[in-house]
Amino acid sequence: PAGQANPHGMIRQVSPGYFRAMGIPLLRGRSIEPTDTLGRENVVVIDRLLADRYWPGADPIGQRLSRGGNATQGNGSWTIVGVVGTVKNASLDQAVTKATLYFPFAQTSATAVTLVVKTTAPPESLAPAIRAAVVALDPEQPLFDVKTMAARLDESLQHRRAPMRLLGVFAGIALLLAALGTYGVLAYSVAQRTNEIGIRLALGATRGAILGLILRQGVRLIAFGVAL
């Protein structure tokens, strides 16, 4: 609408097989294909968030969008050929608010790329082979920050896990103090009732009966504490 900022989103340049490697489901239309190269029709794949936002209840396949230009001009016009699932790019515990657009790598330019490899073998064992393959293509091309998806997910959760670990330590200390306090109160109570316990034993009470009497008292203390 007039007076509002132009729509924008996360931009990704991807090659064929990216969605399959990353496990991103194709919901409608087609994916990026090897034929999507320079000289062919400019195409783009969008995520479900963008499709629902601008084409609610309609099919966005075949619709066109412009990227930094006029949609009526060939260079700035891109045809939507597919819709994929929405990906959380920032945090796993936050809802996605910015849509993502996937352009064919062969039809766009990028100053840096991320290589995605999916394998059934242990991922760490493939790092030397991947490095060798990159060097074979271009010896001056750097390959760095090689990590598994599990490691990247673990890193994204560190800011959540650190406070939880600290909370767990304090909870453990509190539980220990509570146990020591309960033990102290119970031991003091037993010491105060030494004469009573002796009389009960003299009158024929068994050791099990005495133990049950003391334990019931301790359980009442614990139940009261848990209720609080």
Side-chain angles (χ1 to χ4, degrees):
Q4 294 189 17
N6 289 332
H8 62 282
M10 304 283 290
I11 301 298
R12 297 284 184 266
Q13 290 99 359
V14 302
S15 58
Y18 173 79
F19 300 115
R20 184 175 68 255
M22 290 294 292
I24 302 174
L26 178 65
L27 305 179
R28 190 176 301 168
R30 68 172 179 87
S31 181
I32 302 296
E33 301 293 344
T35 54
D36 296 321
T37 58
L38 289 176
R40 304 293 295 270
E41 180 185 22
N42 291 336
V43 298
V44 61
V45 173
I46 64 175
D47 68 354
R48 180 165 53 187
L49 180 63
L50 191 145
D52 292 342
R53 180 176 296 171
Y54 294 103
W55 292 277
D59 188 1
I61 304 300
Q63 299 290 339
R64 303 177 72 84
L65 57 85
S66 61
R67 181 183 177 186
N70 192 326
T72 60
Q73 299 174 354
N75 292 334
S77 179
W78 302 77
T79 301
I80 299 174
V81 296
V83 179
V84 296
T86 302
V87 176
K88 293 185 175 183
N89 293 288
S91 177
L92 294 177
D93 60 347
Q94 296 180 1
V96 180
T97 58
K98 182 176 287 189
T100 304
L101 301 91
Y102 302 90
F103 294 91
F105 185 79
Q107 291 183 344
T108 54
S109 60
T111 57
V113 297
T114 300
L115 182 63
V116 178
V117 178
K118 184 177 182 179
T119 175
T120 55
E124 298 84 355
S125 65
L126 289 183
I130 295 173
R131 292 184 184 277
V134 173
V135 170
L137 292 173
D138 187 352
E140 297 183 358
Q141 195 65 241
L143 181 65
F144 60 96
D145 196 26
V146 179
K147 296 178 183 177
T148 64
M149 179 60 71
R152 295 189 181 280
L153 288 175
D154 186 67
E155 286 183 357
S156 71
L157 297 174
Q158 287 302 318
H159 71 288
R160 290 281 184 177
R161 288 176 175 169
M164 289 303 298
R165 292 192 185 103
L166 186 62
L167 183 62
V169 170
F170 284 124
I173 294 174
L175 181 61
L176 177 61
L177 293 176
L180 292 175
T182 303
Y183 170 80
V185 171
L186 197 58
Y188 178 77
S189 175
V190 172
Q192 292 293 101
R193 299 174 66 181
T194 301
N195 294 335
E196 176 193 345
I197 293 173
I199 294 173
R200 288 178 179 273
L201 289 173
L203 294 177
T206 63
R207 294 173 62 89
I210 298 298
L211 183 60
L213 176 68
I214 302 302
L215 288 179
R216 282 193 297 272
Q217 181 183 359
V219 168
R220 283 197 295 270
L221 286 174
I222 295 174
F224 182 70
V226 169
L228 288 177

